[in-house]
Amino acid sequence: MRISVRVKPGVKGATRLEQQEDGSYVAFLHARAHDGEANKALIELISDEFKVPKTTISIAVGQKFKSKTIEF
């Protein structure tokens, strides 16, 4: 499965994943975009939301950008 995710790192509210009308997702993360912390938090969030092992999740596109394509 492939999903498009727009990451918003460093938010003060709850960490969450919201689906948009176009089928893409927005991830609100506490982790900052520093040393891959936000990417690790995103993988953990996707794992929890979709009930898949973290080892099956990869960032296919956008490793260093806020817009990402996730495969699992």
Side-chain angles (χ1 to χ4, degrees):
M1 177 177 205
R2 290 181 82 135
I3 60 170
S4 296
V5 179
R6 176 82 176 163
V7 176
K8 299 207 180 238
V11 297
K12 293 184 181 183
T15 297
R16 65 192 185 279
L17 188 66
E18 294 181 358
Q19 188 169 16
Q20 304 298 299
E21 291 180 13
D22 64 358
S24 66
Y25 291 85
V26 177
F28 298 89
L29 305 171
H30 289 291
R32 297 266 177 206
H34 181 65
D35 292 334
E37 292 175 18
N39 286 341
K40 290 175 190 172
L42 176 62
I43 288 173
E44 188 171 320
L45 179 62
I46 300 241
S47 174
D48 291 343
E49 290 290 323
F50 290 96
K51 309 291 188 250
V52 295
K54 291 182 222 175
T55 56
T56 64
I57 300 169
S58 66
I59 299 172
V61 177
Q63 191 75 15
K64 295 184 179 184
F65 301 101
K66 289 184 179 181
S67 293
K68 303 178 185 297
T69 300
I70 308 294
E71 290 183 342
F72 56 92

